[in-house]
Structure formats: structure tokens, C-alpha cells
Amino acid sequence: MLCKDCLNPVIEGPEGGYVCGQCFHVVEPNGYAERRAEGVRRAAEERRVRTEERRARAQARNRAWP
């Protein structure tokens, strides 16, 4: 496979995209933007849940403090 910009040989990634080592041209695999958006949304939700749990534990400790 060759880079579309500089025609340098590139190795296709496991999902179909590549980054050219010579000119740093990036080709993202099909559907990457949708998968990335879903991953970002999922990570934000997990982070929100962890934060709420941490704050609840802190409040419980503060209430138990004499």
C-alpha cells in the first residue's frame, strides 16, 4: 500500500487506517469517527459514575467524623 500524498510505502493498520512515516499523512479506517465518539461518551459516563461514588464515600466519611 502507498501513501496517497507522497507515495511512500505504508503498512495498513489492523482496522484499515495508516499514518505515513515520511509525511505523517493520516488515513482513518472506515467508521472510526463513530467508534471514537462512542468511546469518548462511554469514558465520560464511567468517569462521572466514579466521581459520584468517590464524592458519596467522602460525604459518608465526613458525616462519621466526630
Side-chain angles (χ1 to χ4, degrees):
M1 171 178 260
L2 299 176
C3 174
K4 292 178 183 175
D5 282 357
C6 68
L7 301 179
N8 188 49
V10 294
I11 297 173
E12 190 173 2
E15 295 183 7
Y18 67 84
V19 176
C20 177
Q22 183 171 338
C23 70
F24 299 107
H25 175 71
V26 177
V27 172
E28 295 176 342
N30 293 333
Y32 174 76
E34 293 82 17
R35 288 193 312 272
R36 182 181 184 284
E38 176 61 25
V40 167
R41 187 200 59 73
R42 194 171 43 247
E45 178 62 22
E46 291 172 3
R47 187 171 48 249
R48 185 189 62 77
V49 168
R50 283 193 314 267
T51 299
E52 288 177 358
E53 290 172 352
R54 186 184 72 241
R55 288 177 179 166
R57 285 192 307 269
Q59 284 180 348
R61 277 194 313 265
N62 289 340
R63 285 188 205 124
W65 189 258

Short mmCIF file of all heavy atoms in Angstrom, two decimals:
data_model
loop_
_atom_site.label_atom_id
_atom_site.label_comp_id
_atom_site.label_asym_id
_atom_site.label_seq_id
_atom_site.Cartn_x
_atom_site.Cartn_y
_atom_site.Cartn_z
N MET A 1 0.86 -1.17 0.00
CA MET A 1 0.00 0.00 0.00
C MET A 1 0.90 1.23 0.00
O MET A 1 1.95 1.25 0.64
CB MET A 1 -0.90 -0.05 1.24
CG MET A 1 -1.68 1.20 1.48
SD MET A 1 -2.74 1.07 2.91
CE MET A 1 -4.26 0.74 2.04
N LEU A 2 0.48 2.27 -0.70
CA LEU A 2 1.25 3.51 -0.79
C LEU A 2 0.46 4.66 -0.19
O LEU A 2 -0.76 4.72 -0.28
CB LEU A 2 1.57 3.83 -2.24
CG LEU A 2 2.41 2.80 -2.99
CD1 LEU A 2 2.58 3.22 -4.44
CD2 LEU A 2 3.76 2.61 -2.34
N CYS A 3 1.20 5.61 0.40
CA CYS A 3 0.59 6.82 0.93
C CYS A 3 -0.04 7.61 -0.21
O CYS A 3 0.56 7.74 -1.29
CB CYS A 3 1.65 7.66 1.63
SG CYS A 3 1.07 9.27 2.19
N LYS A 4 -1.22 8.15 0.03
CA LYS A 4 -1.91 8.92 -1.01
C LYS A 4 -1.22 10.24 -1.32
O LYS A 4 -1.36 10.77 -2.42
CB LYS A 4 -3.35 9.18 -0.59
CG LYS A 4 -4.19 7.93 -0.54
CD LYS A 4 -5.60 8.24 -0.08
CE LYS A 4 -6.40 6.95 0.03
NZ LYS A 4 -7.74 7.19 0.58
N ASP A 5 -0.46 10.79 -0.36
CA ASP A 5 0.18 12.09 -0.56
C ASP A 5 1.57 11.99 -1.17
O ASP A 5 1.88 12.66 -2.15
CB ASP A 5 0.26 12.86 0.75
CG ASP A 5 -1.05 13.49 1.15
OD1 ASP A 5 -2.02 13.40 0.38
OD2 ASP A 5 -1.11 14.08 2.24
N CYS A 6 2.43 11.14 -0.59
CA CYS A 6 3.84 11.11 -1.03
C CYS A 6 4.23 9.82 -1.73
O CYS A 6 5.37 9.68 -2.17
CB CYS A 6 4.76 11.35 0.16
SG CYS A 6 4.76 10.00 1.35
N LEU A 7 3.33 8.86 -1.80
CA LEU A 7 3.55 7.56 -2.45
C LEU A 7 4.62 6.72 -1.77
O LEU A 7 5.18 5.81 -2.36
CB LEU A 7 3.87 7.75 -3.94
CG LEU A 7 2.79 8.47 -4.74
CD1 LEU A 7 3.23 8.62 -6.19
CD2 LEU A 7 1.47 7.73 -4.67
N ASN A 8 4.91 7.03 -0.50
CA ASN A 8 5.83 6.22 0.29
C ASN A 8 5.10 4.94 0.70
O ASN A 8 3.92 4.98 1.03
CB ASN A 8 6.25 7.02 1.53
CG ASN A 8 7.34 6.33 2.31
OD1 ASN A 8 8.33 5.92 1.74
ND2 ASN A 8 7.16 6.25 3.61
N PRO A 9 5.78 3.79 0.70
CA PRO A 9 5.11 2.56 1.16
C PRO A 9 4.71 2.68 2.63
O PRO A 9 5.46 3.19 3.46
CB PRO A 9 6.18 1.49 0.99
CG PRO A 9 7.20 2.06 0.08
CD PRO A 9 7.14 3.55 0.24
N VAL A 10 3.49 2.26 2.95
CA VAL A 10 2.98 2.28 4.32
C VAL A 10 2.38 0.92 4.65
O VAL A 10 2.04 0.15 3.76
CB VAL A 10 1.92 3.38 4.53
CG1 VAL A 10 2.52 4.76 4.37
CG2 VAL A 10 0.76 3.21 3.58
N ILE A 11 2.28 0.65 5.92
CA ILE A 11 1.67 -0.60 6.39
C ILE A 11 0.29 -0.27 6.93
O ILE A 11 0.14 0.58 7.81
CB ILE A 11 2.52 -1.27 7.48
CG1 ILE A 11 3.88 -1.64 6.90
CG2 ILE A 11 1.82 -2.49 8.04
CD1 ILE A 11 4.87 -2.15 7.92
N GLU A 12 -0.70 -0.94 6.40
CA GLU A 12 -2.07 -0.72 6.83
C GLU A 12 -2.26 -1.29 8.23
O GLU A 12 -1.76 -2.37 8.56
CB GLU A 12 -3.02 -1.40 5.86
CG GLU A 12 -4.46 -1.06 6.06
CD GLU A 12 -5.34 -1.62 4.96
OE1 GLU A 12 -4.83 -2.30 4.06
OE2 GLU A 12 -6.55 -1.36 5.01
N GLY A 13 -2.97 -0.54 9.07
CA GLY A 13 -3.23 -0.98 10.43
C GLY A 13 -4.26 -2.09 10.48
O GLY A 13 -4.88 -2.44 9.46
N PRO A 14 -4.49 -2.64 11.68
CA PRO A 14 -5.41 -3.77 11.81
C PRO A 14 -6.86 -3.44 11.45
O PRO A 14 -7.63 -4.32 11.09
CB PRO A 14 -5.29 -4.17 13.28
CG PRO A 14 -4.75 -2.97 13.96
CD PRO A 14 -3.92 -2.24 12.95
N GLU A 15 -7.23 -2.16 11.53
CA GLU A 15 -8.60 -1.78 11.20
C GLU A 15 -8.70 -1.06 9.87
O GLU A 15 -9.75 -0.60 9.49
CB GLU A 15 -9.18 -0.92 12.32
CG GLU A 15 -9.31 -1.67 13.62
CD GLU A 15 -9.96 -0.84 14.70
OE1 GLU A 15 -10.44 0.28 14.40
OE2 GLU A 15 -9.99 -1.30 15.84
N GLY A 16 -7.58 -0.91 9.16
CA GLY A 16 -7.63 -0.36 7.82
C GLY A 16 -7.00 1.00 7.63
O GLY A 16 -6.82 1.44 6.51
N GLY A 17 -6.64 1.71 8.67
CA GLY A 17 -6.05 3.04 8.51
C GLY A 17 -4.53 2.98 8.55
O GLY A 17 -3.94 1.92 8.75
N TYR A 18 -3.90 4.12 8.33
CA TYR A 18 -2.44 4.19 8.44
C TYR A 18 -1.99 5.62 8.71
O TYR A 18 -2.74 6.57 8.50
CB TYR A 18 -1.76 3.65 7.18
CG TYR A 18 -1.96 4.49 5.94
CD1 TYR A 18 -1.15 5.60 5.69
CD2 TYR A 18 -2.94 4.17 5.02
CE1 TYR A 18 -1.33 6.36 4.56
CE2 TYR A 18 -3.12 4.93 3.88
CZ TYR A 18 -2.31 6.03 3.65
OH TYR A 18 -2.49 6.79 2.53
N VAL A 19 -0.74 5.75 9.17
CA VAL A 19 -0.06 7.03 9.28
C VAL A 19 1.24 6.87 8.52
O VAL A 19 2.02 5.96 8.78
CB VAL A 19 0.24 7.40 10.75
CG1 VAL A 19 1.05 8.69 10.82
CG2 VAL A 19 -1.03 7.53 11.54
N CYS A 20 1.48 7.76 7.56
CA CYS A 20 2.69 7.69 6.77
C CYS A 20 3.87 8.14 7.62
O CYS A 20 3.83 9.19 8.26
CB CYS A 20 2.56 8.58 5.53
SG CYS A 20 4.07 8.61 4.52
N GLY A 21 4.93 7.36 7.61
CA GLY A 21 6.12 7.70 8.38
C GLY A 21 6.94 8.81 7.77
O GLY A 21 7.77 9.42 8.44
N GLN A 22 6.74 9.09 6.51
CA GLN A 22 7.52 10.13 5.84
C GLN A 22 6.85 11.49 5.90
O GLN A 22 7.47 12.47 6.28
CB GLN A 22 7.77 9.74 4.39
CG GLN A 22 8.63 10.73 3.65
CD GLN A 22 9.05 10.22 2.28
OE1 GLN A 22 9.05 9.02 2.06
NE2 GLN A 22 9.39 11.12 1.40
N CYS A 23 5.56 11.56 5.54
CA CYS A 23 4.89 12.87 5.50
C CYS A 23 3.82 13.02 6.59
O CYS A 23 3.20 14.06 6.71
CB CYS A 23 4.25 13.09 4.13
SG CYS A 23 2.82 12.04 3.80
N PHE A 24 3.62 11.96 7.40
CA PHE A 24 2.66 11.95 8.51
C PHE A 24 1.22 12.14 8.06
O PHE A 24 0.39 12.61 8.83
CB PHE A 24 3.03 12.97 9.59
CG PHE A 24 4.37 12.70 10.20
CD1 PHE A 24 5.45 13.51 9.90
CD2 PHE A 24 4.55 11.62 11.03
CE1 PHE A 24 6.70 13.25 10.43
CE2 PHE A 24 5.79 11.35 11.58
CZ PHE A 24 6.87 12.17 11.28
N HIS A 25 0.92 11.79 6.81
CA HIS A 25 -0.46 11.81 6.32
C HIS A 25 -1.23 10.72 7.06
O HIS A 25 -0.74 9.61 7.24
CB HIS A 25 -0.48 11.55 4.82
CG HIS A 25 -1.85 11.42 4.24
ND1 HIS A 25 -2.70 12.49 4.10
CD2 HIS A 25 -2.53 10.34 3.79
CE1 HIS A 25 -3.83 12.08 3.57
NE2 HIS A 25 -3.76 10.77 3.38
N VAL A 26 -2.43 11.03 7.53
CA VAL A 26 -3.24 10.09 8.31
C VAL A 26 -4.47 9.69 7.50
O VAL A 26 -5.17 10.54 6.97
CB VAL A 26 -3.69 10.73 9.64
CG1 VAL A 26 -4.59 9.77 10.41
CG2 VAL A 26 -2.49 11.12 10.47
N VAL A 27 -4.72 8.40 7.44
CA VAL A 27 -5.95 7.88 6.86
C VAL A 27 -6.61 7.04 7.94
O VAL A 27 -6.03 6.07 8.44
CB VAL A 27 -5.68 7.01 5.61
CG1 VAL A 27 -6.95 6.33 5.14
CG2 VAL A 27 -5.10 7.87 4.51
N GLU A 28 -7.80 7.45 8.36
CA GLU A 28 -8.51 6.74 9.41
C GLU A 28 -9.36 5.64 8.80
O GLU A 28 -9.90 5.80 7.71
CB GLU A 28 -9.37 7.70 10.20
CG GLU A 28 -8.55 8.72 10.96
CD GLU A 28 -9.40 9.74 11.68
OE1 GLU A 28 -10.58 9.89 11.34
OE2 GLU A 28 -8.86 10.41 12.56
N PRO A 29 -9.50 4.52 9.50
CA PRO A 29 -10.33 3.42 8.99
C PRO A 29 -11.80 3.82 8.90
O PRO A 29 -12.24 4.75 9.58
CB PRO A 29 -10.13 2.29 9.99
CG PRO A 29 -9.43 2.87 11.15
CD PRO A 29 -8.89 4.21 10.78
N ASN A 30 -12.53 3.13 8.06
CA ASN A 30 -13.97 3.40 7.91
C ASN A 30 -14.68 3.22 9.25
O ASN A 30 -14.44 2.26 9.96
CB ASN A 30 -14.59 2.44 6.88
CG ASN A 30 -14.07 2.71 5.50
OD1 ASN A 30 -13.68 3.83 5.19
ND2 ASN A 30 -14.06 1.70 4.66
N GLY A 31 -15.53 4.17 9.58
CA GLY A 31 -16.30 4.09 10.81
C GLY A 31 -15.55 4.52 12.05
O GLY A 31 -16.08 4.45 13.15
N TYR A 32 -14.32 5.00 11.91
CA TYR A 32 -13.51 5.36 13.08
C TYR A 32 -14.14 6.50 13.88
O TYR A 32 -14.18 6.45 15.11
CB TYR A 32 -12.09 5.75 12.65
CG TYR A 32 -11.26 6.27 13.80
CD1 TYR A 32 -10.74 5.39 14.74
CD2 TYR A 32 -11.03 7.61 13.96
CE1 TYR A 32 -9.99 5.85 15.81
CE2 TYR A 32 -10.29 8.09 15.02
CZ TYR A 32 -9.77 7.20 15.94
OH TYR A 32 -9.03 7.67 17.00
N ALA A 33 -14.65 7.51 13.21
CA ALA A 33 -15.20 8.67 13.92
C ALA A 33 -16.37 8.26 14.81
O ALA A 33 -16.48 8.72 15.95
CB ALA A 33 -15.65 9.74 12.91
N GLU A 34 -17.22 7.36 14.32
CA GLU A 34 -18.36 6.91 15.11
C GLU A 34 -17.90 6.08 16.31
O GLU A 34 -18.40 6.25 17.42
CB GLU A 34 -19.32 6.08 14.26
CG GLU A 34 -20.03 6.87 13.18
CD GLU A 34 -19.17 7.06 11.93
OE1 GLU A 34 -18.16 6.33 11.76
OE2 GLU A 34 -19.51 7.94 11.12
N ARG A 35 -16.93 5.19 16.09
CA ARG A 35 -16.43 4.37 17.21
C ARG A 35 -15.74 5.24 18.25
O ARG A 35 -15.88 5.03 19.45
CB ARG A 35 -15.46 3.30 16.69
CG ARG A 35 -16.13 2.19 15.92
CD ARG A 35 -15.22 1.01 15.70
NE ARG A 35 -13.90 1.33 15.22
CZ ARG A 35 -13.57 1.46 13.94
NH1 ARG A 35 -14.47 1.29 13.00
NH2 ARG A 35 -12.33 1.75 13.59
N ARG A 36 -14.98 6.24 17.79
CA ARG A 36 -14.30 7.13 18.72
C ARG A 36 -15.30 7.94 19.53
O ARG A 36 -15.16 8.07 20.75
CB ARG A 36 -13.37 8.09 17.97
CG ARG A 36 -12.61 9.00 18.92
CD ARG A 36 -11.71 9.95 18.16
NE ARG A 36 -10.94 10.75 19.07
CZ ARG A 36 -11.42 11.78 19.77
NH1 ARG A 36 -12.68 12.12 19.67
NH2 ARG A 36 -10.64 12.45 20.60
N ALA A 37 -16.33 8.47 18.88
CA ALA A 37 -17.35 9.25 19.59
C ALA A 37 -18.03 8.39 20.65
O ALA A 37 -18.28 8.85 21.78
CB ALA A 37 -18.37 9.81 18.61
N GLU A 38 -18.34 7.16 20.32
CA GLU A 38 -18.97 6.25 21.29
C GLU A 38 -18.02 5.96 22.45
O GLU A 38 -18.43 5.95 23.61
CB GLU A 38 -19.38 4.94 20.60
CG GLU A 38 -19.94 3.90 21.54
CD GLU A 38 -21.20 4.34 22.28
OE1 GLU A 38 -21.92 5.22 21.77
OE2 GLU A 38 -21.46 3.81 23.37
N GLY A 39 -16.74 5.75 22.15
CA GLY A 39 -15.76 5.50 23.20
C GLY A 39 -15.60 6.70 24.13
O GLY A 39 -15.49 6.54 25.35
N VAL A 40 -15.59 7.90 23.57
CA VAL A 40 -15.48 9.12 24.38
C VAL A 40 -16.71 9.26 25.27
O VAL A 40 -16.59 9.59 26.45
CB VAL A 40 -15.30 10.35 23.46
CG1 VAL A 40 -15.49 11.64 24.23
CG2 VAL A 40 -13.94 10.33 22.79
N ARG A 41 -17.89 9.00 24.72
CA ARG A 41 -19.12 9.09 25.52
C ARG A 41 -19.11 8.07 26.65
O ARG A 41 -19.44 8.39 27.79
CB ARG A 41 -20.35 8.86 24.62
CG ARG A 41 -21.67 9.10 25.34
CD ARG A 41 -22.83 8.43 24.68
NE ARG A 41 -22.72 7.00 24.55
CZ ARG A 41 -22.84 6.11 25.56
NH1 ARG A 41 -23.05 6.53 26.79
NH2 ARG A 41 -22.73 4.82 25.35
N ARG A 42 -18.69 6.84 26.35
CA ARG A 42 -18.65 5.79 27.36
C ARG A 42 -17.64 6.13 28.47
O ARG A 42 -17.91 5.95 29.65
CB ARG A 42 -18.31 4.46 26.69
CG ARG A 42 -18.55 3.26 27.54
CD ARG A 42 -18.42 1.94 26.78
NE ARG A 42 -17.29 1.90 25.87
CZ ARG A 42 -17.38 1.84 24.53
NH1 ARG A 42 -18.55 1.85 23.95
NH2 ARG A 42 -16.30 1.80 23.79
N ALA A 43 -16.46 6.64 28.08
CA ALA A 43 -15.45 7.01 29.06
C ALA A 43 -15.94 8.15 29.96
O ALA A 43 -15.70 8.14 31.17
CB ALA A 43 -14.16 7.41 28.36
N ALA A 44 -16.64 9.12 29.38
CA ALA A 44 -17.17 10.24 30.17
C ALA A 44 -18.20 9.74 31.18
O ALA A 44 -18.23 10.19 32.33
CB ALA A 44 -17.78 11.29 29.26
N GLU A 45 -19.05 8.81 30.77
CA GLU A 45 -20.05 8.25 31.68
C GLU A 45 -19.39 7.48 32.82
O GLU A 45 -19.77 7.63 33.99
CB GLU A 45 -21.02 7.34 30.91
CG GLU A 45 -22.06 6.67 31.77
CD GLU A 45 -22.99 7.65 32.47
OE1 GLU A 45 -23.12 8.80 32.01
OE2 GLU A 45 -23.59 7.28 33.50
N GLU A 46 -18.37 6.67 32.50
CA GLU A 46 -17.66 5.93 33.55
C GLU A 46 -16.96 6.88 34.52
O GLU A 46 -16.97 6.66 35.73
CB GLU A 46 -16.64 4.98 32.92
CG GLU A 46 -17.28 3.83 32.17
CD GLU A 46 -16.29 3.01 31.39
OE1 GLU A 46 -15.07 3.29 31.45
OE2 GLU A 46 -16.73 2.09 30.68
N ARG A 47 -16.38 7.94 33.98
CA ARG A 47 -15.72 8.94 34.83
C ARG A 47 -16.73 9.63 35.74
O ARG A 47 -16.47 9.85 36.93
CB ARG A 47 -15.00 9.95 33.94
CG ARG A 47 -14.14 10.93 34.68
CD ARG A 47 -13.27 11.77 33.75
NE ARG A 47 -14.00 12.35 32.64
CZ ARG A 47 -13.86 11.99 31.36
NH1 ARG A 47 -13.02 11.03 31.03
NH2 ARG A 47 -14.56 12.59 30.42
N ARG A 48 -17.92 9.94 35.22
CA ARG A 48 -18.96 10.59 36.02
C ARG A 48 -19.41 9.67 37.16
O ARG A 48 -19.55 10.11 38.31
CB ARG A 48 -20.16 10.94 35.14
CG ARG A 48 -21.25 11.72 35.86
CD ARG A 48 -22.50 11.85 35.04
NE ARG A 48 -23.12 10.57 34.73
CZ ARG A 48 -23.84 9.85 35.61
NH1 ARG A 48 -24.01 10.27 36.82
NH2 ARG A 48 -24.37 8.69 35.25
N VAL A 49 -19.58 8.38 36.87
CA VAL A 49 -20.00 7.42 37.90
C VAL A 49 -18.93 7.31 38.97
O VAL A 49 -19.24 7.33 40.17
CB VAL A 49 -20.30 6.05 37.25
CG1 VAL A 49 -20.45 4.97 38.30
CG2 VAL A 49 -21.55 6.14 36.38
N ARG A 50 -17.66 7.19 38.57
CA ARG A 50 -16.57 7.10 39.56
C ARG A 50 -16.52 8.34 40.44
O ARG A 50 -16.32 8.24 41.66
CB ARG A 50 -15.22 6.91 38.87
CG ARG A 50 -14.97 5.52 38.37
CD ARG A 50 -13.51 5.32 37.98
NE ARG A 50 -12.96 6.39 37.18
CZ ARG A 50 -12.92 6.42 35.86
NH1 ARG A 50 -13.43 5.43 35.17
NH2 ARG A 50 -12.37 7.44 35.23
N THR A 51 -16.71 9.52 39.85
CA THR A 51 -16.68 10.77 40.61
C THR A 51 -17.82 10.81 41.62
O THR A 51 -17.61 11.17 42.79
CB THR A 51 -16.77 11.97 39.66
OG1 THR A 51 -15.65 11.94 38.78
CG2 THR A 51 -16.77 13.28 40.42
N GLU A 52 -19.01 10.43 41.19
CA GLU A 52 -20.15 10.42 42.12
C GLU A 52 -19.92 9.44 43.27
O GLU A 52 -20.22 9.75 44.42
CB GLU A 52 -21.43 10.07 41.37
CG GLU A 52 -21.93 11.17 40.48
CD GLU A 52 -23.17 10.77 39.70
OE1 GLU A 52 -23.63 9.61 39.82
OE2 GLU A 52 -23.67 11.62 38.95
N GLU A 53 -19.37 8.26 42.97
CA GLU A 53 -19.10 7.27 44.03
C GLU A 53 -18.05 7.80 45.00
O GLU A 53 -18.17 7.65 46.21
CB GLU A 53 -18.64 5.96 43.41
CG GLU A 53 -19.73 5.21 42.69
CD GLU A 53 -19.21 4.01 41.91
OE1 GLU A 53 -17.97 3.85 41.80
OE2 GLU A 53 -20.05 3.25 41.42
N ARG A 54 -17.00 8.43 44.46
CA ARG A 54 -15.94 8.98 45.32
C ARG A 54 -16.49 10.08 46.22
O ARG A 54 -16.20 10.14 47.41
CB ARG A 54 -14.80 9.51 44.45
CG ARG A 54 -13.60 9.96 45.26
CD ARG A 54 -12.52 10.57 44.39
NE ARG A 54 -12.96 11.87 43.92
CZ ARG A 54 -13.13 12.20 42.64
NH1 ARG A 54 -12.89 11.35 41.69
NH2 ARG A 54 -13.53 13.41 42.31
N ARG A 55 -17.33 10.94 45.66
CA ARG A 55 -17.91 12.03 46.46
C ARG A 55 -18.85 11.48 47.54
O ARG A 55 -18.89 12.00 48.66
CB ARG A 55 -18.64 13.01 45.56
CG ARG A 55 -17.69 13.84 44.74
CD ARG A 55 -18.41 14.76 43.81
NE ARG A 55 -17.45 15.56 43.05
CZ ARG A 55 -17.74 16.25 41.98
NH1 ARG A 55 -19.00 16.30 41.54
NH2 ARG A 55 -16.82 16.93 41.34
N ALA A 56 -19.60 10.43 47.21
CA ALA A 56 -20.50 9.83 48.20
C ALA A 56 -19.70 9.21 49.34
O ALA A 56 -20.08 9.34 50.51
CB ALA A 56 -21.39 8.78 47.53
N ARG A 57 -18.59 8.55 49.03
CA ARG A 57 -17.75 7.98 50.09
C ARG A 57 -17.16 9.07 50.96
O ARG A 57 -17.11 8.95 52.19
CB ARG A 57 -16.62 7.13 49.49
CG ARG A 57 -17.06 5.80 48.95
CD ARG A 57 -15.89 4.89 48.63
NE ARG A 57 -14.89 5.50 47.77
CZ ARG A 57 -14.88 5.43 46.44
NH1 ARG A 57 -15.83 4.78 45.80
NH2 ARG A 57 -13.91 6.00 45.74
N ALA A 58 -16.73 10.17 50.35
CA ALA A 58 -16.17 11.29 51.12
C ALA A 58 -17.22 11.90 52.03
O ALA A 58 -16.93 12.22 53.20
CB ALA A 58 -15.59 12.34 50.18
N GLN A 59 -18.44 12.07 51.54
CA GLN A 59 -19.50 12.62 52.37
C GLN A 59 -19.82 11.69 53.53
O GLN A 59 -20.06 12.14 54.65
CB GLN A 59 -20.76 12.86 51.54
CG GLN A 59 -20.66 14.09 50.67
CD GLN A 59 -21.92 14.29 49.85
OE1 GLN A 59 -22.77 13.41 49.77
NE2 GLN A 59 -22.03 15.46 49.24
N ALA A 60 -19.83 10.38 53.28
CA ALA A 60 -20.10 9.41 54.35
C ALA A 60 -19.01 9.47 55.41
O ALA A 60 -19.30 9.41 56.61
CB ALA A 60 -20.21 8.01 53.77
N ARG A 61 -17.76 9.61 54.99
CA ARG A 61 -16.65 9.72 55.96
C ARG A 61 -16.79 11.01 56.77
O ARG A 61 -16.56 11.03 57.97
CB ARG A 61 -15.31 9.71 55.24
CG ARG A 61 -14.79 8.35 54.91
CD ARG A 61 -13.32 8.40 54.51
NE ARG A 61 -13.01 9.44 53.54
CZ ARG A 61 -12.95 9.27 52.23
NH1 ARG A 61 -13.19 8.11 51.71
NH2 ARG A 61 -12.65 10.28 51.44
N ASN A 62 -17.16 12.10 56.10
CA ASN A 62 -17.29 13.37 56.80
C ASN A 62 -18.43 13.36 57.82
O ASN A 62 -18.33 13.98 58.87
CB ASN A 62 -17.49 14.51 55.79
CG ASN A 62 -16.23 14.80 55.00
OD1 ASN A 62 -15.13 14.43 55.41
ND2 ASN A 62 -16.40 15.42 53.85
N ARG A 63 -19.50 12.66 57.50
CA ARG A 63 -20.62 12.56 58.45
C ARG A 63 -20.24 11.72 59.65
O ARG A 63 -20.72 11.96 60.75
CB ARG A 63 -21.83 11.93 57.76
CG ARG A 63 -22.52 12.88 56.83
CD ARG A 63 -23.82 12.29 56.32
NE ARG A 63 -24.14 12.89 55.04
CZ ARG A 63 -24.36 12.24 53.92
NH1 ARG A 63 -24.35 10.93 53.92
NH2 ARG A 63 -24.62 12.88 52.81
N ALA A 64 -19.39 10.74 59.46
CA ALA A 64 -18.98 9.85 60.56
C ALA A 64 -17.92 10.51 61.44
O ALA A 64 -17.67 10.04 62.54
CB ALA A 64 -18.44 8.53 60.00
N TRP A 65 -17.32 11.56 60.97
CA TRP A 65 -16.27 12.23 61.74
C TRP A 65 -16.90 12.98 62.92
O TRP A 65 -17.87 13.70 62.75
CB TRP A 65 -15.55 13.21 60.82
CG TRP A 65 -14.32 13.82 61.41
CD1 TRP A 65 -14.21 15.06 61.94
CD2 TRP A 65 -13.05 13.20 61.55
NE1 TRP A 65 -12.96 15.27 62.39
CE2 TRP A 65 -12.21 14.14 62.18
CE3 TRP A 65 -12.53 11.97 61.23
CZ2 TRP A 65 -10.88 13.88 62.47
CZ3 TRP A 65 -11.20 11.72 61.52
CH2 TRP A 65 -10.40 12.66 62.14
N PRO A 66 -16.34 12.78 64.11
CA PRO A 66 -16.95 13.41 65.30
C PRO A 66 -16.86 14.92 65.34
O PRO A 66 -16.31 15.66 64.82
CB PRO A 66 -16.21 12.83 66.49
CG PRO A 66 -15.06 12.07 65.97
CD PRO A 66 -15.21 11.95 64.48
#
